[in-house]
Coordinates of all heavy atoms in Angstrom, one line a residue:
M27 N 17.0 -28.9 3.4 CA 17.4 -30.2 2.8 C 17.7 -30.0 1.3 O 17.0 -29.3 0.6 CB 16.3 -31.2 3.0 CG 16.8 -32.6 3.2 SD 15.5 -33.8 3.3 CE 14.7 -33.4 4.9
K28 N 18.8 -30.6 0.9 CA 19.2 -30.5 -0.5 C 18.3 -31.4 -1.4 O 17.8 -32.4 -1.0 CB 20.6 -31.0 -0.6 CG 21.5 -30.1 -1.4 CD 23.0 -30.4 -1.1 CE 23.7 -31.1 -2.2 NZ 23.6 -32.5 -2.3
A29 N 18.2 -30.9 -2.7 CA 17.5 -31.8 -3.6 C 18.3 -33.0 -3.9 O 19.5 -33.0 -3.9 CB 17.2 -31.0 -4.9
D30 N 17.6 -34.1 -4.2 CA 18.3 -35.3 -4.6 C 18.9 -35.1 -6.0 O 18.6 -34.3 -6.7 CB 17.4 -36.5 -4.6 CG 16.7 -36.7 -3.2 OD1 17.5 -36.9 -2.2 OD2 15.5 -36.8 -3.2
R31 N 19.9 -36.0 -6.3 CA 20.4 -35.9 -7.6 C 20.3 -37.3 -8.3 O 20.2 -38.3 -7.7 CB 21.9 -35.4 -7.6 CG 22.9 -36.4 -7.0 CD 24.2 -36.1 -7.6 NE 24.7 -34.8 -7.4 CZ 25.9 -34.4 -7.9 NH1 26.6 -35.2 -8.7 NH2 26.3 -33.2 -7.7
L32 N 20.2 -37.2 -9.6 CA 20.1 -38.4 -10.4 C 21.2 -38.3 -11.4 O 21.5 -37.3 -12.0 CB 18.7 -38.4 -11.1 CG 18.4 -39.6 -12.1 CD1 17.0 -39.9 -12.0 CD2 18.9 -39.3 -13.5
T33 N 21.9 -39.4 -11.6 CA 23.0 -39.5 -12.5 C 22.6 -40.4 -13.7 O 22.2 -41.5 -13.5 CB 24.3 -40.0 -11.9 OG1 24.6 -39.2 -10.7 CG2 25.5 -39.9 -12.8
L34 N 22.8 -39.8 -14.9 CA 22.5 -40.6 -16.1 C 23.8 -41.1 -16.6 O 24.8 -40.4 -16.8 CB 21.9 -39.7 -17.2 CG 20.4 -39.7 -17.3 CD1 20.0 -38.8 -18.5 CD2 19.8 -41.1 -17.6
V35 N 23.9 -42.4 -16.7 CA 25.1 -43.1 -17.3 C 24.9 -43.4 -18.7 O 24.0 -44.2 -19.0 CB 25.5 -44.3 -16.5 CG1 26.8 -44.9 -17.0 CG2 25.7 -44.0 -15.0
E36 N 25.7 -42.8 -19.6 CA 25.5 -43.0 -21.0 C 26.8 -43.6 -21.6 O 27.9 -43.4 -21.1 CB 25.3 -41.6 -21.7 CG 24.0 -41.0 -21.4 CD 23.8 -39.7 -22.1 OE1 24.8 -38.9 -22.0 OE2 22.8 -39.4 -22.6
S37 N 26.6 -44.4 -22.6 CA 27.7 -45.0 -23.3 C 27.4 -45.1 -24.8 O 26.3 -45.6 -25.2 CB 27.9 -46.4 -22.8 OG 28.9 -47.1 -23.5
G38 N 28.2 -44.5 -25.6 CA 28.0 -44.4 -27.0 C 26.7 -43.7 -27.4 O 26.1 -44.1 -28.3
G39 N 26.3 -42.7 -26.6 CA 25.1 -41.9 -26.9 C 23.9 -42.6 -26.5 O 22.8 -42.1 -26.7
I40 N 24.0 -43.8 -25.8 CA 22.8 -44.5 -25.4 C 22.7 -44.4 -23.9 O 23.7 -44.6 -23.1 CB 22.9 -46.0 -25.8 CG1 22.9 -46.1 -27.3 CG2 21.8 -46.8 -25.2 CD1 23.3 -47.4 -27.9
K41 N 21.6 -44.1 -23.3 CA 21.4 -44.0 -21.9 C 21.3 -45.5 -21.4 O 20.5 -46.3 -21.8 CB 20.1 -43.3 -21.6 CG 20.1 -41.8 -21.9 CD 18.8 -41.2 -21.7 CE 18.8 -39.7 -22.2 NZ 17.5 -39.2 -22.5
K42 N 22.2 -45.8 -20.4 CA 22.3 -47.1 -19.9 C 21.7 -47.3 -18.5 O 21.0 -48.2 -18.2 CB 23.8 -47.5 -19.8 CG 24.4 -47.6 -21.2 CD 24.7 -49.1 -21.5 CE 24.9 -49.2 -23.0 NZ 26.0 -50.1 -23.3
W43 N 22.0 -46.3 -17.6 CA 21.5 -46.4 -16.3 C 21.1 -45.0 -15.7 O 21.7 -44.0 -16.1 CB 22.7 -46.9 -15.3 CG 23.2 -48.3 -15.6 CD1 24.2 -48.6 -16.4 CD2 22.7 -49.5 -15.1 NE1 24.4 -50.0 -16.4 CE2 23.5 -50.6 -15.6 CE3 21.6 -49.8 -14.3 CZ2 23.2 -51.9 -15.3 CZ3 21.3 -51.2 -14.0 CH2 22.2 -52.2 -14.5
A44 N 20.1 -45.1 -14.9 CA 19.8 -43.9 -14.1 C 20.0 -44.3 -12.6 O 19.5 -45.2 -12.2 CB 18.3 -43.6 -14.3
C45 N 20.9 -43.5 -12.0 CA 21.3 -43.8 -10.6 C 20.8 -42.7 -9.7 O 21.1 -41.5 -10.0 CB 22.8 -44.0 -10.5 SG 23.5 -45.1 -11.7
L46 N 20.1 -43.0 -8.7 CA 19.6 -42.0 -7.8 C 19.6 -42.5 -6.4 O 19.5 -43.7 -6.1 CB 18.2 -41.5 -8.2 CG 17.0 -42.5 -8.0 CD1 15.8 -41.7 -7.7 CD2 16.9 -43.3 -9.3
T47 N 19.7 -41.6 -5.4 CA 19.6 -42.0 -4.0 C 18.1 -42.1 -3.7 O 17.3 -41.3 -4.0 CB 20.3 -41.0 -3.1 OG1 21.6 -40.7 -3.6 CG2 20.3 -41.4 -1.7
C48 N 17.8 -43.2 -3.0 CA 16.4 -43.5 -2.7 C 15.8 -42.2 -1.9 O 16.4 -41.8 -0.9 CB 16.3 -44.7 -1.8 SG 14.7 -45.0 -1.2
P49 N 14.7 -41.7 -2.4 CA 14.1 -40.6 -1.8 C 13.4 -41.0 -0.5 O 12.8 -40.1 0.2 CB 13.1 -40.0 -2.8 CG 12.8 -41.2 -3.7 CD 14.0 -42.1 -3.6
G50 N 13.4 -42.3 -0.2 CA 12.7 -42.7 1.0 C 13.5 -42.5 2.3 O 13.1 -42.8 3.4
G51 N 14.7 -42.0 2.1 CA 15.6 -41.6 3.3 C 16.4 -42.7 3.8 O 17.2 -42.5 4.8
C52 N 16.4 -43.9 3.2 CA 17.3 -45.0 3.6 C 18.7 -44.8 3.1 O 19.6 -45.5 3.5 CB 16.7 -46.3 3.2 SG 16.7 -46.6 1.4
G53 N 18.9 -44.0 2.1 CA 20.2 -43.7 1.6 C 20.7 -44.6 0.5 O 21.8 -44.5 0.0
E54 N 20.0 -45.6 0.2 CA 20.4 -46.6 -0.7 C 20.4 -46.0 -2.1 O 19.6 -45.2 -2.5 CB 19.5 -47.8 -0.7 CG 19.9 -49.0 -1.6 CD 19.2 -50.3 -1.2 OE1 19.1 -50.6 0.0 OE2 18.8 -51.0 -2.1
V55 N 21.4 -46.5 -2.9 CA 21.5 -46.0 -4.3 C 20.7 -46.9 -5.2 O 20.9 -48.1 -5.1 CB 23.0 -45.9 -4.8 CG1 23.0 -45.5 -6.3 CG2 23.7 -44.9 -4.0
I56 N 19.8 -46.4 -5.9 CA 18.9 -47.2 -6.8 C 19.5 -47.0 -8.2 O 19.7 -45.9 -8.7 CB 17.5 -46.6 -6.8 CG1 17.0 -46.6 -5.4 CG2 16.6 -47.5 -7.7 CD1 15.6 -46.0 -5.2
N57 N 19.8 -48.2 -8.9 CA 20.3 -48.2 -10.2 C 19.1 -48.7 -11.1 O 18.8 -49.9 -11.0 CB 21.5 -49.1 -10.4 CG 22.6 -48.6 -9.6 OD1 23.0 -47.4 -9.7 ND2 23.2 -49.4 -8.7
L58 N 18.7 -47.9 -12.0 CA 17.6 -48.3 -12.9 C 18.2 -48.6 -14.3 O 18.8 -47.7 -14.9 CB 16.5 -47.2 -13.0 CG 15.9 -46.8 -11.7 CD1 14.9 -45.6 -11.9 CD2 15.1 -48.0 -11.1
S59 N 17.9 -49.8 -14.8 CA 18.4 -50.1 -16.1 C 17.6 -49.5 -17.2 O 16.3 -49.6 -17.2 CB 18.4 -51.6 -16.3 OG 18.8 -51.9 -17.6
L60 N 18.2 -48.8 -18.1 CA 17.5 -48.1 -19.2 C 17.6 -49.0 -20.5 O 17.2 -48.5 -21.6 CB 18.0 -46.7 -19.4 CG 18.0 -45.8 -18.2 CD1 18.6 -44.5 -18.5 CD2 16.5 -45.6 -17.7
N61 N 18.3 -50.1 -20.4 CA 18.6 -50.9 -21.6 C 17.3 -51.6 -22.0 O 16.7 -52.3 -21.3 CB 19.6 -52.0 -21.2 CG 20.0 -52.9 -22.4 OD1 19.2 -53.0 -23.3 ND2 21.1 -53.5 -22.3
P62 N 16.8 -51.2 -23.2 CA 15.5 -51.8 -23.7 C 15.5 -53.3 -23.9 O 14.4 -53.9 -24.0 CB 15.3 -51.0 -25.0 CG 16.6 -50.6 -25.5 CD 17.4 -50.4 -24.2
N63 N 16.7 -53.9 -23.9 CA 16.7 -55.3 -24.1 C 16.7 -56.1 -22.8 O 16.8 -57.3 -22.8 CB 18.0 -55.7 -24.8 CG 18.0 -55.1 -26.2 OD1 17.0 -55.0 -26.9 ND2 19.2 -54.6 -26.6
Q64 N 16.6 -55.4 -21.6 CA 16.6 -56.0 -20.3 C 15.3 -55.8 -19.6 O 14.6 -54.8 -19.9 CB 17.7 -55.5 -19.5 CG 19.1 -56.2 -19.8 CD 20.2 -55.6 -19.0 OE1 20.0 -54.8 -18.1 NE2 21.4 -55.9 -19.4
R65 N 15.0 -56.7 -18.8 CA 13.8 -56.6 -17.9 C 14.3 -56.7 -16.5 O 15.0 -57.6 -16.2 CB 12.7 -57.6 -18.2 CG 12.2 -57.5 -19.6 CD 11.3 -56.3 -19.7 NE 10.6 -56.3 -21.1 CZ 11.2 -55.9 -22.2 NH1 12.4 -55.3 -22.2 NH2 10.5 -55.9 -23.3
P66 N 13.8 -55.9 -15.5 CA 13.0 -54.8 -15.8 C 13.8 -53.7 -16.4 O 15.0 -53.6 -16.2 CB 12.5 -54.4 -14.4 CG 13.6 -54.9 -13.4 CD 14.2 -56.1 -14.1
R67 N 13.2 -52.7 -17.0 CA 13.8 -51.6 -17.5 C 12.9 -50.3 -17.4 O 11.7 -50.5 -17.3 CB 14.3 -51.8 -19.0 CG 13.2 -52.2 -19.9 CD 13.0 -51.1 -20.9 NE 12.0 -51.6 -21.9 CZ 10.7 -51.6 -21.7 NH1 10.2 -51.4 -20.5 NH2 9.9 -52.1 -22.7
W68 N 13.5 -49.2 -17.4 CA 12.8 -48.0 -17.2 C 13.0 -47.0 -18.4 O 14.1 -47.2 -19.1 CB 13.2 -47.3 -15.9 CG 12.6 -47.9 -14.7 CD1 11.4 -47.6 -14.0 CD2 13.1 -49.1 -14.0 NE1 11.2 -48.5 -13.0 CE2 12.2 -49.4 -13.0 CE3 14.2 -49.9 -14.2 CZ2 12.4 -50.5 -12.1 CZ3 14.4 -51.0 -13.3 CH2 13.5 -51.2 -12.3
R69 N 12.2 -46.2 -18.6 CA 12.4 -45.1 -19.6 C 12.5 -43.8 -18.8 O 11.8 -43.5 -17.8 CB 11.2 -45.0 -20.6 CG 11.3 -46.0 -21.7 CD 10.2 -45.8 -22.7 NE 9.0 -46.1 -22.2 CZ 7.9 -45.4 -22.2 NH1 8.0 -44.2 -22.7 NH2 6.7 -45.7 -21.7
I70 N 13.4 -42.9 -19.3 CA 13.6 -41.6 -18.7 C 13.6 -40.5 -19.7 O 14.0 -40.7 -20.8 CB 15.0 -41.6 -17.9 CG1 15.1 -40.3 -17.1 CG2 16.1 -41.8 -18.8 CD1 16.2 -40.3 -16.1
S71 N 12.9 -39.5 -19.4 CA 12.9 -38.3 -20.3 C 13.2 -37.1 -19.4 O 13.0 -37.1 -18.2 CB 11.6 -38.2 -21.0 OG 10.5 -38.2 -20.0
E72 N 13.7 -36.1 -20.0 CA 14.0 -34.8 -19.3 C 13.2 -33.7 -19.9 O 13.0 -33.6 -21.1 CB 15.5 -34.5 -19.4 CG 16.4 -35.5 -18.8 CD 17.8 -35.5 -19.4 OE1 18.0 -36.2 -20.5 OE2 18.6 -34.8 -18.9
D73 N 12.8 -32.8 -19.0 CA 12.1 -31.6 -19.5 C 13.1 -30.5 -19.8 O 14.3 -30.7 -19.8 CB 11.0 -31.1 -18.6 CG 11.5 -30.6 -17.2 OD1 12.8 -30.5 -17.1 OD2 10.8 -30.4 -16.3
F74 N 12.7 -29.4 -20.1 CA 13.5 -28.2 -20.5 C 14.5 -27.9 -19.5 O 15.7 -27.5 -19.8 CB 12.6 -27.0 -20.8 CG 13.4 -25.8 -21.2 CD1 13.9 -25.6 -22.4 CD2 13.6 -24.8 -20.2 CE1 14.6 -24.5 -22.8 CE2 14.3 -23.6 -20.6 CZ 14.8 -23.5 -21.9
W75 N 14.2 -28.1 -18.2 CA 15.1 -27.8 -17.1 C 16.0 -29.0 -16.7 O 16.5 -29.1 -15.6 CB 14.4 -27.3 -15.9 CG 13.7 -26.0 -16.2 CD1 14.3 -24.7 -16.1 CD2 12.4 -25.7 -16.7 NE1 13.4 -23.7 -16.5 CE2 12.2 -24.3 -16.8 CE3 11.3 -26.5 -17.0 CZ2 11.1 -23.7 -17.3 CZ3 10.2 -25.9 -17.4 CH2 10.0 -24.6 -17.6
L76 N 15.9 -30.1 -17.5 CA 16.7 -31.4 -17.3 C 16.1 -32.1 -16.1 O 16.8 -32.9 -15.5 CB 18.2 -31.1 -17.1 CG 18.9 -30.5 -18.3 CD1 20.4 -30.3 -18.0 CD2 18.7 -31.4 -19.5
R77 N 14.9 -31.8 -15.7 CA 14.3 -32.6 -14.6 C 13.7 -33.9 -15.1 O 13.1 -33.9 -16.2 CB 13.2 -31.7 -13.9 CG 13.7 -30.5 -13.3 CD 12.5 -29.7 -12.7 NE 11.5 -29.5 -13.7 CZ 10.4 -28.7 -13.6 NH1 10.3 -28.1 -12.4 NH2 9.5 -28.6 -14.5
P78 N 14.1 -35.0 -14.4 CA 13.7 -36.3 -15.0 C 12.2 -36.7 -14.8 O 11.6 -36.4 -13.8 CB 14.7 -37.2 -14.3 CG 14.8 -36.6 -13.0 CD 14.8 -35.1 -13.2
T79 N 11.7 -37.4 -15.8 CA 10.5 -38.2 -15.6 C 10.8 -39.6 -15.8 O 11.5 -40.0 -16.9 CB 9.4 -37.7 -16.6 OG1 9.1 -36.3 -16.3 CG2 8.2 -38.6 -16.5
I80 N 10.5 -40.5 -14.9 CA 10.8 -41.9 -15.0 C 9.6 -42.7 -15.1 O 8.6 -42.5 -14.4 CB 11.7 -42.3 -13.8 CG1 13.0 -41.6 -13.9 CG2 11.9 -43.9 -13.8 CD1 13.9 -41.8 -12.7
H81 N 9.6 -43.7 -16.0 CA 8.5 -44.6 -16.2 C 8.9 -46.0 -16.3 O 9.9 -46.3 -17.0 CB 7.7 -44.2 -17.5 CG 6.4 -44.9 -17.7 ND1 5.2 -44.4 -17.2 CD2 6.2 -46.1 -18.3 CE1 4.3 -45.4 -17.5 NE2 4.8 -46.3 -18.2
P82 N 8.4 -47.0 -15.7 CA 7.3 -46.9 -14.8 C 7.7 -46.5 -13.4 O 8.8 -45.9 -13.2 CB 6.8 -48.4 -14.8 CG 8.0 -49.2 -15.0 CD 8.8 -48.4 -15.9
S83 N 6.9 -46.8 -12.4 CA 7.3 -46.4 -11.0 C 8.4 -47.2 -10.5 O 8.8 -48.3 -11.1 CB 6.0 -46.5 -10.1 OG 5.6 -47.9 -10.0
V84 N 9.0 -46.7 -9.4 CA 10.1 -47.4 -8.8 C 9.6 -48.0 -7.4 O 9.1 -47.3 -6.6 CB 11.3 -46.5 -8.5 CG1 12.5 -47.2 -7.9 CG2 11.7 -45.8 -9.8
H85 N 9.9 -49.3 -7.3 CA 9.4 -49.9 -6.0 C 10.6 -50.6 -5.4 O 11.2 -51.5 -5.9 CB 8.4 -51.0 -6.3 CG 7.6 -51.5 -5.1 ND1 6.6 -52.4 -5.2 CD2 7.8 -51.2 -3.8 CE1 6.1 -52.6 -4.0 NE2 6.8 -51.9 -3.1
Q86 N 11.0 -50.1 -4.2 CA 12.2 -50.6 -3.5 C 11.8 -51.8 -2.7 O 10.8 -51.8 -2.0 CB 12.7 -49.5 -2.5 CG 13.6 -48.5 -3.2 CD 14.9 -49.1 -3.5 OE1 15.1 -49.7 -4.5 NE2 15.9 -48.8 -2.7
K87 N 12.6 -52.9 -2.8 CA 12.2 -54.2 -2.2 C 13.0 -54.3 -0.8 O 12.8 -55.3 -0.1 CB 12.7 -55.3 -3.0 CG 12.0 -55.4 -4.4 CD 10.5 -55.8 -4.2 CE 9.9 -56.2 -5.5 NZ 10.1 -55.3 -6.7
N88 N 13.7 -53.3 -0.4 CA 14.4 -53.4 0.9 C 13.5 -53.0 2.0 O 12.3 -52.8 1.8 CB 15.7 -52.5 0.8 CG 15.4 -51.0 0.7 OD1 14.2 -50.6 0.7 ND2 16.4 -50.2 0.5
E89 N 14.1 -52.8 3.2 CA 13.2 -52.5 4.4 C 12.5 -51.2 4.3 O 11.5 -51.0 4.9 CB 14.0 -52.6 5.7 CG 14.9 -51.4 5.9 CD 16.2 -51.3 5.1 OE1 16.5 -52.3 4.5 OE2 16.8 -50.3 5.1
C90 N 13.0 -50.3 3.4 CA 12.4 -49.0 3.2 C 11.1 -49.2 2.5 O 10.1 -48.5 2.8 CB 13.4 -48.2 2.4 SG 12.9 -46.6 1.8
G91 N 11.0 -50.1 1.5 CA 9.8 -50.4 0.9 C 9.1 -49.3 0.1 O 7.9 -49.4 -0.1
C92 N 9.8 -48.3 -0.2 CA 9.1 -47.1 -0.8 C 8.7 -47.5 -2.3 O 9.3 -48.2 -3.0 CB 9.9 -45.9 -0.7 SG 11.6 -46.0 -1.2
H93 N 7.7 -46.8 -2.7 CA 7.1 -47.0 -4.1 C 6.7 -45.6 -4.6 O 5.9 -45.0 -3.9 CB 5.9 -47.9 -3.9 CG 5.4 -48.4 -5.2 ND1 4.3 -49.2 -5.4 CD2 5.9 -48.2 -6.5 CE1 4.1 -49.5 -6.7 NE2 5.0 -48.9 -7.4
F94 N 7.3 -45.2 -5.7 CA 7.1 -43.8 -6.1 C 7.3 -43.6 -7.6 O 7.8 -44.5 -8.3 CB 8.1 -42.9 -5.4 CG 9.6 -43.3 -5.6 CD1 10.3 -42.7 -6.6 CD2 10.2 -44.2 -4.7 CE1 11.6 -43.1 -6.8 CE2 11.5 -44.6 -5.0 CZ 12.2 -44.0 -6.0
W95 N 6.7 -42.6 -8.0 CA 6.9 -42.1 -9.4 C 7.7 -40.8 -9.4 O 7.7 -40.1 -8.4 CB 5.5 -41.7 -10.0 CG 4.6 -42.9 -10.2 CD1 3.7 -43.4 -9.3 CD2 4.4 -43.6 -11.4 NE1 3.1 -44.5 -9.9 CE2 3.5 -44.6 -11.2 CE3 5.0 -43.6 -12.7 CZ2 3.1 -45.6 -12.1 CZ3 4.6 -44.5 -13.7 CH2 3.7 -45.5 -13.4
I96 N 8.5 -40.6 -10.4 CA 9.2 -39.3 -10.5 C 8.7 -38.7 -11.8 O 8.8 -39.2 -12.9 CB 10.7 -39.5 -10.6 CG1 11.2 -40.1 -9.2 CG2 11.4 -38.2 -10.9 CD1 12.7 -40.5 -9.2
K97 N 8.1 -37.5 -11.6 CA 7.6 -36.7 -12.8 C 8.1 -35.3 -12.7 O 7.9 -34.7 -11.7 CB 6.1 -36.7 -12.7 CG 5.4 -37.5 -13.8 CD 3.9 -37.6 -13.7 CE 3.4 -38.9 -14.2 NZ 2.1 -39.2 -13.8
N98 N 8.8 -34.9 -13.7 CA 9.4 -33.6 -13.8 C 10.2 -33.3 -12.5 O 10.1 -32.2 -11.9 CB 8.3 -32.5 -14.0 CG 7.6 -32.7 -15.4 OD1 6.4 -33.0 -15.3 ND2 8.3 -32.8 -16.5
G99 N 10.9 -34.3 -12.0 CA 11.8 -34.1 -10.9 C 11.1 -34.1 -9.5 O 11.7 -34.0 -8.5
Q100 N 9.8 -34.4 -9.5 CA 9.1 -34.4 -8.3 C 8.7 -35.8 -7.9 O 8.2 -36.6 -8.8 CB 7.8 -33.6 -8.4 CG 7.9 -32.1 -8.7 CD 8.5 -31.4 -7.5 OE1 8.1 -31.6 -6.4 NE2 9.4 -30.4 -7.8
T101 N 8.9 -36.3 -6.7 CA 8.6 -37.6 -6.3 C 7.1 -37.6 -5.9 O 6.6 -36.8 -5.1 CB 9.4 -38.0 -5.1 OG1 10.8 -37.9 -5.5 CG2 9.1 -39.4 -4.6
T102 N 6.4 -38.6 -6.4 CA 5.0 -38.8 -6.0 C 4.9 -40.2 -5.4 O 5.3 -41.2 -6.0 CB 4.1 -38.7 -7.3 OG1 4.3 -37.5 -7.9 CG2 2.6 -38.9 -6.8
W103 N 4.4 -40.2 -4.2 CA 4.4 -41.5 -3.5 C 3.2 -42.3 -3.8 O 2.1 -41.7 -3.9 CB 4.5 -41.3 -1.9 CG 5.7 -40.6 -1.6 CD1 5.9 -39.3 -1.2 CD2 7.0 -41.1 -1.5 NE1 7.2 -39.0 -1.0 CE2 7.9 -40.1 -1.1 CE3 7.5 -42.5 -1.7 CZ2 9.3 -40.4 -0.9 CZ3 8.9 -42.7 -1.5 CH2 9.8 -41.6 -1.1
C104 N 3.3 -43.6 -4.0 CA 2.2 -44.4 -4.2 C 1.5 -44.7 -2.9 O 2.1 -44.6 -1.9 CB 2.6 -45.8 -4.9 SG 3.3 -45.6 -6.5
R105 N 0.2 -45.1 -3.0 CA -0.5 -45.5 -1.8 C 0.2 -46.6 -1.1 O 0.5 -47.6 -1.7 CB -1.9 -45.9 -2.3 CG -2.9 -46.1 -1.1 CD -4.2 -46.7 -1.7 NE -4.8 -45.7 -2.6 CZ -5.9 -45.0 -2.2 NH1 -6.3 -45.0 -0.9 NH2 -6.4 -44.2 -3.1
G106 N 0.5 -46.4 0.2 CA 1.2 -47.5 0.9 C 2.7 -47.6 0.7 O 3.4 -48.3 1.2
G107 N 3.2 -46.7 -0.2 CA 4.6 -46.7 -0.6 C 5.4 -45.5 0.0 O 6.5 -45.2 -0.4
R108 N 4.7 -44.8 0.9 CA 5.4 -43.6 1.4 C 6.2 -44.0 2.7 O 5.6 -44.5 3.6 CB 4.4 -42.5 1.8 CG 5.0 -41.2 2.2 CD 3.9 -40.2 2.7 NE 4.6 -39.0 3.1 CZ 4.9 -38.0 2.3 NH1 4.5 -38.0 1.1 NH2 5.5 -36.9 2.8
P109 N 7.5 -43.8 2.7 CA 8.3 -44.1 3.9 C 8.0 -43.2 5.0 O 7.4 -42.1 4.9 CB 9.7 -44.0 3.3 CG 9.6 -43.0 2.3 CD 8.3 -43.1 1.6
S110 N 8.5 -43.6 6.2 CA 8.3 -42.8 7.4 C 9.1 -41.5 7.4 O 8.7 -40.5 7.9 CB 8.6 -43.6 8.7 OG 9.8 -44.2 8.6
K111 N 10.3 -41.6 6.8 CA 11.2 -40.4 6.8 C 11.6 -40.0 5.4 O 12.8 -40.2 5.0 CB 12.4 -40.6 7.6 CG 12.2 -40.6 9.1 CD 13.5 -40.7 9.9 CE 13.2 -41.4 11.2 NZ 14.3 -42.2 11.7
P112 N 10.7 -39.6 4.5 CA 11.1 -39.3 3.1 C 12.0 -38.1 3.1 O 11.9 -37.2 3.9 CB 9.8 -39.1 2.4 CG 8.9 -38.6 3.5 CD 9.3 -39.3 4.8
S113 N 12.9 -38.0 2.1 CA 13.7 -36.8 1.8 C 12.8 -35.8 1.1 O 11.6 -36.0 1.0 CB 14.9 -37.2 0.9 OG 14.5 -37.4 -0.4
K114 N 13.4 -34.8 0.7 CA 12.6 -33.7 0.1 C 11.9 -34.2 -1.2 O 10.8 -33.7 -1.5 CB 13.5 -32.5 -0.3 CG 12.8 -31.2 -0.6 CD 13.9 -30.1 -0.9 CE 13.2 -28.9 -1.4 NZ 14.1 -28.0 -2.0
G115 N 12.5 -35.2 -1.8 CA 11.9 -35.8 -3.0 C 11.9 -35.0 -4.2 O 10.9 -35.0 -5.0
E116 N 12.9 -34.1 -4.4 CA 13.0 -33.3 -5.6 C 14.3 -33.6 -6.3 O 15.3 -33.7 -5.6 CB 12.9 -31.9 -5.3 CG 11.5 -31.4 -5.0 CD 11.6 -29.9 -4.7 OE1 12.5 -29.2 -5.0 OE2 10.6 -29.4 -4.0
I117 N 14.2 -33.8 -7.6 CA 15.5 -33.9 -8.4 C 15.5 -32.8 -9.3 O 14.7 -32.7 -10.2 CB 15.5 -35.3 -9.1 CG1 15.4 -36.4 -8.1 CG2 16.7 -35.4 -10.0 CD1 15.2 -37.8 -8.7
D118 N 16.4 -31.9 -9.1 CA 16.4 -30.6 -9.9 C 17.1 -30.8 -11.3 O 16.7 -30.2 -12.2 CB 17.0 -29.4 -9.1 CG 18.4 -29.7 -8.5 OD1 18.9 -30.8 -8.7 OD2 18.9 -28.8 -7.9
T119 N 18.1 -31.7 -11.3 CA 18.8 -31.8 -12.6 C 19.3 -33.2 -12.8 O 19.6 -33.9 -11.8 CB 20.1 -30.9 -12.6 OG1 19.7 -29.6 -12.1 CG2 20.7 -30.8 -14.0
C120 N 19.4 -33.7 -14.0 CA 20.1 -34.9 -14.3 C 21.6 -34.6 -14.5 O 21.9 -33.7 -15.4 CB 19.5 -35.5 -15.6 SG 17.9 -36.3 -15.4
Y121 N 22.4 -35.3 -13.8 CA 23.8 -35.2 -14.1 C 24.3 -36.3 -15.0 O 23.8 -37.3 -15.0 CB 24.6 -35.3 -12.8 CG 24.3 -34.1 -11.8 CD1 23.2 -34.2 -11.0 CD2 25.1 -33.0 -11.9 CE1 22.9 -33.1 -10.1 CE2 24.8 -31.9 -11.0 CZ 23.8 -32.0 -10.1 OH 23.4 -31.0 -9.3
R122 N 25.3 -35.9 -15.8 CA 25.9 -36.9 -16.7 C 27.1 -37.6 -16.0 O 28.0 -36.9 -15.6 CB 26.3 -36.2 -18.0 CG 25.5 -36.5 -19.2 CD 24.1 -36.0 -19.1 NE 23.3 -36.4 -20.2 CZ 22.0 -36.1 -20.3 NH1 21.4 -35.4 -19.4 NH2 21.3 -36.6 -21.3
G123 N 27.0 -38.9 -16.0 CA 28.1 -39.7 -15.4 C 28.7 -40.6 -16.5 O 28.2 -40.7 -17.5
K124 N 29.8 -41.1 -16.2 CA 30.5 -42.0 -17.1 C 30.6 -43.4 -16.5 O 30.8 -43.5 -15.3 CB 31.9 -41.5 -17.5 CG 31.9 -40.3 -18.3 CD 31.8 -40.6 -19.8 CE 31.7 -39.4 -20.7 NZ 30.4 -38.8 -20.8
Ligands
ZN6 ZN1 14.6 -46.2 0.6

């Protein structure tokens, strides 16, 4: 199984969105707003290898219902938030999108 990918959408040097495919296996694209003026919003940081850490956790409200943290590109499932068919749950690199 391939690692998931996360796309960082930047505009004017400001990170606006983090887009990733749900690691719960439902295939839905999750768009996380990084705009500090909006709620809810997330913070993202990258380590030396560009692996993302996202704060706070991501909770999907669809039928997949997964709830997870991403730390250094590794998905950590919350109690009760682990889907039945999770993907590999690794994000090796942040890609830059426009
Ligand atoms: Zn899902």
Side-chain angles (χ1 to χ4, degrees):
M27 217 184 288
K28 225 162 112 275
D30 299 308
R31 68 155 59 186
L32 180 147
T33 304
L34 263 183
V35 181
E36 291 176 317
S37 172
I40 295 165
K41 290 172 185 160
K42 295 250 160 136
W43 297 94
C45 310
L46 66 152
T47 305
C48 178
C52 66
E54 187 163 313
V55 175
I56 303 173
N57 296 305
L58 301 175
S59 173
L60 306 173
N61 185 336
N63 299 319
Q64 278 177 11
R65 298 287 186 277
R67 56 113 175 75
W68 285 262
R69 275 186 293 128
I70 185 167
S71 54
E72 297 156 273
D73 66 11
F74 179 78
W75 294 276
L76 298 179
R77 296 176 310 186
T79 295
I80 293 174
H81 187 92
S83 63
V84 181
H85 194 177
Q86 280 285 84
K87 301 287 196 310
N88 63 8
E89 78 282 349
C90 169
C92 49
H93 190 185
F94 56 93
W95 293 86
I96 294 175
K97 248 179 213 160
N98 300 117
Q100 299 288 321
T101 302
T102 305
W103 300 102
C104 292
R105 191 186 293 263
R108 189 188 176 87
S110 50
K111 284 183 209 150
S113 71
K114 196 177 172 200
E116 282 178 19
I117 297 169
D118 52 0
T119 314
C120 286
Y121 293 87
R122 250 66 187 179
K124 290 273 179 277

